[in-house]
Amino acid sequence: MSDDKNLRDDLNDMLGDAKEKANEFAKEAKESASEFAEGAKETFASGENKKILAGVLGILFGGLGIHKFILGYNKEGGILLGATLIGILLSCVGIGILFVWIPGVIGFIEGIIYLTKSDSEFYNTYQAGKKPWF
């Protein structure tokens, strides 16, 4: 009889310890989840700001590639800027007009695309997914 009581007491102690550890684990998991959610909100908010800024700059100054530099696409921004500068230099020959208009039209179209996408779609495509063109 005494052994059964000791066994029950030991089992109750172990059960109490397990419940306590489970509660601690659940509390830590909730804290981690809230930290993750807060970080995601900050990242998403900055993505929205980049969307508007990149879209407006793409429409206004698309040929200079500024909208690409804002999103971190330095190579693509350099291509647009270089094509525009070459077009300006060659404009005295006549063919340079094409080199100036093409990057400008590309930037204009991209600016419109950026502004018409939803915030999450823009973030997933251009910031997380790193899609450099259109």
Side-chain angles (χ1 to χ4, degrees):
M1 208 46 143
S2 174
D3 289 333
D4 288 336
K5 185 176 180 187
N6 288 339
L7 184 60
R8 281 187 208 150
D9 290 339
D10 289 341
L11 288 175
N12 284 335
D13 289 341
M14 283 193 265
L15 184 60
D17 290 342
K19 284 182 182 179
E20 185 178 320
K21 289 182 181 184
N23 287 335
E24 288 176 22
F25 178 78
K27 183 179 177 181
E28 289 177 18
K30 286 180 184 178
E31 289 174 2
S32 296
S34 66
E35 288 174 11
F36 176 79
E38 189 65 34
K41 285 179 187 176
E42 291 174 330
T43 301
F44 186 71
S46 68
E48 181 180 354
N49 292 339
K50 283 188 176 182
K51 171 191 157 186
I52 294 169
L53 181 62
V56 170
L57 289 174
I59 290 171
L60 296 177
F61 306 110
L64 299 176
I66 297 171
H67 62 292
K68 294 291 190 185
F69 291 115
I70 293 293
L71 294 174
Y73 301 125
N74 295 333
K75 183 175 86 174
E76 291 80 4
I79 291 170
L80 289 175
L81 181 60
T84 300
L85 293 176
I86 289 172
I88 291 170
L89 292 173
L90 293 176
S91 64
C92 59
V93 178
I95 195 167
I97 301 296
L98 289 175
F99 284 104
V100 173
W101 278 95
I102 292 172
V105 170
I106 289 172
F108 184 78
I109 291 170
E110 285 183 331
I112 291 172
I113 290 171
Y114 293 167
L115 292 175
T116 56
K117 288 191 178 285
S118 69
D119 293 339
S120 60
E121 188 178 17
F122 175 82
Y123 178 78
N124 290 333
T125 303
Y126 297 107
Q127 291 186 277
K130 296 290 184 188
K131 182 180 176 188
W133 297 103
F134 297 101

